[in-house]
């Protein structure tokens, strides 16, 4: 072997090593893996991820869990070297926040566009809804309201003074609901509604949706505003006292005579710098499959985004309802203004 040959081989080895160091994403992309950053903290989701490994021929799901805002900031800080392929979170406002932070890539998928209704996905494909939760009114079965109670707007009526139990204004589910009401009625009417709700509160906002439901069951108020899956959890609870409390109550789906009941979502988007983009798209598509949608429905008592998938019997017993088809981007973008107004009128 000549000195020239030895020198050329050394240079080739050095250049090859430098290329690997300079392109860690390329190395990661060669693995059979999809890296999922998720703010859904449900143990039942693990079965969802195992199911993807089975149907994908062995692509493993690496899961990083955390608060949605922290995960978005983490992806931004990691930059081009982020291992994140998919971001999953709850509430449309957080998905829009990720999109505005330039974390998510527009994705064109005929599968996703055919399975996910238009109002439950970003028009440009940055994110797609995976499961739904309706925001409803929970009231005692044996209560006769002093006036008709059929719309979100009704809970601001003075007839319901001291009856309303609802979370803090800053709660993401309330912000999204408020964003939809703002879109429907305009700022002036929305501000009057928010004032009316504050005046009708049975107590200052405290706790989560479950706390509002249990307070109604205990007679501390008459109307709890809650996501549907919290009520279903109580109905299906292993604790007798929670089942007994839920048995006293019923669901009202608001605004069935006009725009429909507000629904919020869990959703996912492909990260802009995803090192395993093909696997990421396949994973999000899998989450809208019948098998995965059934797991969403059973695992957390949610509504699937795919119509032909059945909900759990306890949820099915409430019957079908008309949902507000305002695009989730619209009510999410209204959230900041809605929160400003709510806090200005004393909703803490």
């Amino acid at each position: 072997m000549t000195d020239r040959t030895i020198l050329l081989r050394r240079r080739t080895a050095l250049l090859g090593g430098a290329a690997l160091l300079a392109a860690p994403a390329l190395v990661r992309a060669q693995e059979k893996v999809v890296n999922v950053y998720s703010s859904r903290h449900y143990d039942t989701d693990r079965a969802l991820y195992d199911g993807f490994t089975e149907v994908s021929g062995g692509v493993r799901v690496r899961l990083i869990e955390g608060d949605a805002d922290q995960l978005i900031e983490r992806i931004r800080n990691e930059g081009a070297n982020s291992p994140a392929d998919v971001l999953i979170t709850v509430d449309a406002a957080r998905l829009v926040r990720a999109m505005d932070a330039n974390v998510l890539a527009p994705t064109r998928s005929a599968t996703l566009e055919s399975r996910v209704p238009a109002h439950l996905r970003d028009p440009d494909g940055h994110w797609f809804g995976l499961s739904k939760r309706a925001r409803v009114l929970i009231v005692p079965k044996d209560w006769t309201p002093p006036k008709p109670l059929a719309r979100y707007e009704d809970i601001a009526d003075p007839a319901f003074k001291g009856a309303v139990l609802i979370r803090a204004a800053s709660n993401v589910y309330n912000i999204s609901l408020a964003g939809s009401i703002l879109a429907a009625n305009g700022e002036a009417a929305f501000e009057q509604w928010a004032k009316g709700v504050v005046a009708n509160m049975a107590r200052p906002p405290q706790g989560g949706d479950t706390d509002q439901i249990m307070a109604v069951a205990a007679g501390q108020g008459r109307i709890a505003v809650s996501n549907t899956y919290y009520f279903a959890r109580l109905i299906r609870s292993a604790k007798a006292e929670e089942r007994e409390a839920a048995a006293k109550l019923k669901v009202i789906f608001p605004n069935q005579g006009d725009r429909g009941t507000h629904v919020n979502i869990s959703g996912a988007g492909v990260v802009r710098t995803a090192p395993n983009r093909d696997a990421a798209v396949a994973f999000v598509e899998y989450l809208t499959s019948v098998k995965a949608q059934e797991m969403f429905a059973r695992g957390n008592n949610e509504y699937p985004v795919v119509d032909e998938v059945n909900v759990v019997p306890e949820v099915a017993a409430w019957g079908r309802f008309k949902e507000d088809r305002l695009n989730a981007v619209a009510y999410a973008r209204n959230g900041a203004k809605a929160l400003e107004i709510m806090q200005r009128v004393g909703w803490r």
Side-chain angles (χ1 to χ4, degrees):
M1 183 181 298
T2 66
D3 290 343
R4 180 179 176 80
T5 302
I6 293 172
L7 181 60
L8 286 171
R9 288 187 177 182
R10 285 177 178 172
R11 286 179 177 172
T12 301
L14 287 170
L15 287 171
L20 290 175
L21 289 172
L26 179 61
V27 176
R28 289 196 299 270
Q30 295 172 353
E31 302 177 84
K32 293 188 68 172
V33 66
V34 60
N35 299 298
V36 177
Y37 284 27
S38 176
S39 68
R40 280 179 61 99
H41 306 300
Y42 310 126
D43 291 340
T44 51
D45 283 3
R46 301 280 179 169
L48 270 171
Y49 306 147
D50 291 342
F52 177 69
T53 301
E54 291 176 12
V55 302
S56 65
V59 178
R60 293 181 296 114
V61 177
R62 287 183 181 157
L63 180 64
I64 299 293
E65 293 184 310
D67 172 81
D69 290 333
Q70 292 173 350
L71 291 175
I72 292 168
E73 190 60 26
R74 175 172 174 168
I75 295 170
R76 291 183 66 185
N77 290 337
E78 289 169 342
N81 289 327
S82 177
D85 294 306
V86 175
L87 175 69
I88 299 177
T89 187
V90 295
D91 186 75
R94 288 165 171 155
L95 291 163
V96 171
R97 197 173 303 156
M99 181 175 70
D100 290 345
N102 201 29
V103 162
L104 303 178
T107 300
R108 295 264 71 94
S109 164
T111 297
L112 291 170
E113 290 165 13
S114 65
R115 290 176 179 170
V116 181
H119 67 293
L120 301 176
R121 53 182 164 88
D122 172 53
D124 295 320
H126 287 89
W127 52 263
F128 299 85
L130 302 174
S131 64
K132 301 183 295 187
R133 53 280 300 271
R135 199 139 184 83
V136 297
L137 309 179
I138 310 292
V139 303
K141 288 179 178 177
D142 61 359
W143 179 51
T144 301
K147 292 185 71 173
L149 182 62
R151 307 175 76 233
Y152 295 112
E153 289 81 354
D154 294 335
I155 68 173
D157 191 300
F160 297 107
K161 188 173 181 62
V164 178
L165 290 150
I166 191 166
R167 292 168 81 155
S170 58
N171 170 256
V172 290
Y173 302 136
N174 280 345
I175 291 172
S176 289
L177 169 62
S180 73
I181 297 172
L182 176 59
N185 300 326
E187 284 190 28
F190 174 78
E191 182 164 344
Q192 290 304 309
W193 175 82
K195 285 181 180 177
V197 173
V198 171
N200 287 348
M201 289 181 183
R203 66 183 183 191
Q206 56 186 269
D209 282 7
T210 300
D211 298 293
Q212 316 314 314
I213 298 169
M214 294 297 287
V216 170
Q220 297 172 25
R222 293 295 192 176
I223 306 165
V225 180
S226 172
N227 282 353
T228 41
Y229 68 93
Y230 288 103
F231 189 38
R233 282 182 188 172
L234 294 175
I235 294 172
R236 306 180 75 197
S237 175
K239 298 179 180 179
E241 63 270 24
E242 291 185 341
R243 295 196 306 275
E244 290 166 6
K248 301 176 184 178
L249 309 174
K250 66 179 181 181
V251 171
I252 294 175
F253 289 98
N255 296 80
Q256 292 302 283
D258 46 83
R259 64 184 180 273
T261 296
H262 170 71
V263 295
N264 208 327
I265 57 173
S266 286
V270 175
V271 175
R272 183 174 55 83
T273 54
N276 306 291
R277 181 172 174 80
D278 289 346
V281 174
F283 176 70
V284 178
E285 289 176 341
Y286 157 77
L287 293 176
T288 66
S289 67
V290 170
K291 177 181 178 181
Q293 288 285 293
E294 287 174 345
M295 295 172 80
F296 276 119
R298 292 196 307 268
N300 194 41
N301 307 302
E302 295 177 89
Y303 289 97
V305 297
V306 177
D307 283 341
E308 62 263 31
V309 176
N310 293 324
V311 295
V312 297
E314 292 83 358
V315 173
W318 303 333
R320 297 182 68 85
F321 68 95
K322 176 184 176 182
E323 65 184 69
D324 188 350
R325 300 187 75 83
L326 177 70
N327 189 280
V329 173
Y331 67 71
R333 293 214 183 281
N334 279 343
K337 173 58 70 174
L339 177 59
E340 175 194 323
I341 293 171
M342 287 190 288
Q343 291 181 332
R344 185 169 71 231
V345 302
W347 189 334
R348 301 294 180 234

